[in-house]
Amino acid sequence: MESKFSRTLEEWKNLASKELKGKNSDSLIWTTPEGIDIQPLYTENDLKGLDHLNSLPGFSPFLRGPKATMYAGRPWTIRQYAGFSTAKESNEFYKKNLAAGQMGLSVAFDLATHRGYDSDHPRVSGDVGMSGVAIDSVEDMKLLFDEIPLDKMSVSMTMNGAVLPVLANYIVAAEEQGVKAKQLKGTIQNDILKEFMVRNTYIYPPKESMKIVSDIIEYTAKHMPSFNSISISGYHMQEAGANQVQELAFTIADGIEYVRAAINKGLQVDDFAPRLSFFFAIGMNFFMEIAKLRAARWLWANLMKKHFKPNNIKSMMLRTHCQTSGVSLTEQDPYNNVVRTTIEAMAAVMGGTQSLHTNAFDEAVALPTDFSARIARNTQLILNEETGITKTVDPLAGSYYVEALTGRLISSAEKLIDEIEKLGGMTKAVEKGIPKSMIEESAARRQAGIDSGDITVVGVNKYKANEDSKFDVLKVDNNEVRELQIKSLIKLKNNRDDQKVTESLNKLTEGAKKQSSNLLELSVEAARNRATVGEISSALEKVFSRHEASYSGVTGVYGNELNKNDNYIFVKKTIDDFVNKNNRKPRILIVKLGQDGHDRGAHVVASAYEDLGFDVKVGPLFQTPEESAQMVKLYMPDVVGASSLAGGHLTLIPEMIQYIKNILNKNILIIAGGVIPQEDYEKLEEAGVDAIFGPGTNITDAARRIIGLIEQRPDKSDIK
């Protein structure tokens, strides 16, 4: 029976047109970065032909959630990601947070550890303890979890490159706490494919790295039945600029590749697939993120069934951790970040995440303080305890908009996954650099949208605050932490049996030559003997080598998006005038100092500057200050742009400047960019930095200032 309130879609369009003063309602259609047209109104008609409707939570394909009762039965786990400085300080921070309502631990390691270097290695002088906790040995790991019972606590560890020594140290630390491996609960990220795409904290080449992944899956399946052997991560893809279709498709495709690698190792799919987990970013497109998590569960269940035919229903069940977006956080007007994180947390929960990390408002510039971490944690507690969100399973199910959007994401991701399959799978695609190139193009397009004002970021390019917000920033004394770690290493090496260490490391090196060996098993033995993270990594490096990536930039995207922007046109003309006057382009060398592999910002800047008319050279990742100075000598740029994202700027950039001064007697301009707190600006300027561009800087504005600095330079005669 037709309702007395029934109206036709045509009647609505006519009414809408009147409200729009004659414009068609189609003028309200918005096209997302994923290429999906978002309509102003959705109706029952938009659900026709969708395959995913009418499912129930707890049943395959799990679109509405992996558990029947979801949060009505048990809320998501509050799992805040943290780690800084020393193991002792991180331990104190963890215990404080657990007492305040946090339910699980998620460990952030410093970059030296990620890259398989001990704290005394000369390449990591500016990285020790700066963006996570420094772990050199079992002794550090024991301190990290002191008075935290590992048989009861679920522990997630974000580790990929040095995954073998870190996981081995964790297993041995638990042993010496009296906890057996089979009792351990938690997750190791162990997702190396995305490292080659976006995050770059790899050590070994892709093929060798995939052996490590499969060995860990094999070992945990046998000895750690309650532990998740891998967290297949889309988070870092979105942080690097991927749109949600790319994040969804590449993450699921990575998962399929890992399953194949484990099966090729000789495992049965049901032996390990139930312990696979996922990790997604949650950004500011609220409904898109909700639909993405629902689509991910549908895709995983159907692709697992199609390719591997598991008997255990849990092998098809996608379980995920989520983290609110880091790239959406802004240095400008930073208290807005509290609101952003809340909105993103709501999207994660509405989408059905199993655990969640909420970023602190100050993480645009530094590690969180106790104050900001409490607000971030309490955001989840309030959502859980005060809103009623947990009372109903998948509360947005049946929404015309959400269901239609879920369907579009499924079909769009399927097309991209099919393209990857035709290439021979994700490893082949990664080796060819295809996902990385697609993500960098997406990042450049988004940055152009922000710089042009087409994409609004409140407080950055619209509704700007009249004055800067002041807040305390957590400071880590890099030199002090490094000295403490070096003392611990000396003590460790003085008190161990060197013969046993050497024997276990030799076994590891030999094991790396054999496909049949299990490298985690051999790493556990080495860790018991007190071999360090750096020593275990080096033992494998003798066979595997250390991977070096090459840069191939994306050009034309930024310029095409901004070619009608007045500011862009003005800056491009200014640079053209420089070219005409000097018979050459202005030259900029962009260097990445230290062991931070996040290259999104550097590559977006590089591609934008190329479009503006600069001659751009991008140095390799993981450079020391001296290596960067040698590149300056080789290329003789007008300006050096040093990228810093991991807190090492006060050590590494001044060192680079001093090396440049020692090598050259030239007037080279130095700029710094990235995550740099404003209170550090003065020290950097005193060290010789000519300009600093923090997060959220408009690239065209920065280029305008740089070309001005080049023109104003007192002595330009030495640059040919």
Side-chain angles (χ1 to χ4, degrees), residues 629 632-634 636-637 659-666 668:
V632 174
K633 182 182 179 181
L634 180 64
M636 291 303 297
Y659 277 118
I660 292 172
K661 286 179 179 177
N662 293 341
I663 293 171
L664 299 170
N665 186 24
K666 307 288 186 186
I668 306 286

Side-chain angles (χ1 to χ4, degrees), residues 3 175 411 478 499 592 607:
S3 166
E175 281 178 5
S411 61
N478 166 238
Q499 186 177 342
K592 286 285 296 181
S607 67

